C-alpha cells in the first residue's frame, strides 16, 4: 500500500472557515486516494488553549461531520479535544506548538498505486522508482530516469 504523510503548518492569521473540510472531502471523491488518518492541533495565540481533533481512520463522511461539529460547536470542540489529547503522541505534538500556530497532518493512501502495481506485475514488470517529485516535465528528471534504466539493465542479464 502506498501511503503518504502530508503535514501543513499555519500561523495566527489562518482562517479555518471550512476550506480544509471541503478539500478533504474532495480528496476522496474520485476514489484514487483515501484518507487513512488525519489530525488537527491548534494552540490559541492569547490563551494557549489547545484544540485538537484526531480523525483516526473514519470514513470521509464521518470525518466531514466531525470536523464541521468541531468547527461550529464549542461543546463538541471541547469534548473532541479532550479525547484527542488523551493520546500521548497528540499531547506531545500539541505542547510543541508555539502559541497561535496550528498543524494539520493527513495520512493519504494512494489507492490507484495498488491497481497500477498489480497490472505492472501481471505484465511482467517491476517498480524501479517511486519518489514524489516537484517538477512539471520529465526532462527535469533525466538523471533519475537514466539511473532507473541502468538499474533495469543490471537486473536483466
Amino acid at each position: 500500500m502506498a501511503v503518504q504523510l502530508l503535514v501543513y503548518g499555519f500561523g495566527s492569521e489562518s482562517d479555518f472557515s471550512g476550506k480544509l473540510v471541503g478539500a478533504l472531502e474532495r480528496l476522496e471523491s474520485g476514489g484514487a486516494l483515501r484518507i487513512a488518518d488525519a489530525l488537527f492541533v491548534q494552540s490559541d495565540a492569547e490563551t494557549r488553549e489547545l484544540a485538537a481533533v484526531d480523525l483516526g481512520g473514519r470514513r470521509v463522511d464521518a470525518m466531514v461531520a466531525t470536523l464541521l461539529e468541531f468547527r461550529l460547536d464549542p461543546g463538541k470542540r471541547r469534548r473532541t479535544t479532550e479525547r484527542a489529547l488523551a493520546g500521548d503522541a497528540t499531547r506531545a505534538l500539541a505542547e510543541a506548538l508555539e502559541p497561535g500556530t496550528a498543524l494539520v497532518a493527513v495520512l493519504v493512501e494512494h489507492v490507484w498505486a495498488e491497481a497500477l502495481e498489480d497490472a505492472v506485475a501481471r505484465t511482467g514488470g517491476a517498480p524501479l522508482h517511486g519518489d514524489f517529485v516537484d517538477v512539471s516535465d520529465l526532462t527535469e528528471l533525466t538523471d533519475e530516469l537514466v539511473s532507473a534504466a541502468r538499474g533495469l539493465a543490471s537486473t536483466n542479464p
Side-chain angles (χ1 to χ4, degrees):
M1 168 177 22
V3 180
Q4 181 181 13
L5 171 63
L6 304 170
V7 181
Y8 302 97
F10 301 90
S12 59
E13 303 301 317
S14 299
D15 173 24
F16 298 107
S17 60
K19 294 173 192 75
L20 292 175
V21 174
L24 289 173
E25 189 173 30
R26 287 188 307 277
L27 192 71
E28 278 201 4
S29 66
L33 298 174
R34 188 182 86 73
I35 300 168
D37 200 357
L39 174 68
F40 171 81
V41 184
Q42 180 181 32
S43 174
D44 185 87
E46 295 174 19
T47 66
R48 293 185 166 210
E49 183 178 344
L50 297 172
V53 60
D54 182 352
L55 297 173
R58 296 181 182 141
R59 291 183 339 266
V60 73
D61 56 340
M63 281 186 194
V64 169
T66 299
L67 288 170
L68 287 174
E69 290 173 340
F70 179 82
R71 187 172 69 85
L72 300 174
D73 182 339
K76 269 288 208 198
R77 182 172 37 256
R78 186 177 49 260
R79 289 187 297 280
T80 301
T81 296
E82 288 170 3
R83 278 192 304 275
L85 294 177
D88 291 340
T90 305
R91 170 69 60 186
L93 176 61
E95 291 172 355
L97 289 177
E98 292 293 322
T101 65
L103 179 134
V104 171
V106 182
L107 199 57
V108 179
E109 287 182 20
H110 290 268
V111 178
W112 60 268
E114 289 181 38
L116 182 58
E117 288 173 8
D118 180 55
V120 167
R122 285 185 285 119
T123 306
L128 298 176
H129 192 275
D131 293 342
F132 285 91
V133 295
D134 188 19
V135 299
S136 60
D137 188 311
L138 283 174
T139 60
E140 297 177 53
L141 299 172
T142 301
D143 292 342
E144 289 86 346
L145 296 173
V146 168
S147 177
R150 288 188 178 129
L152 177 61
S154 67
T155 61
N156 287 314

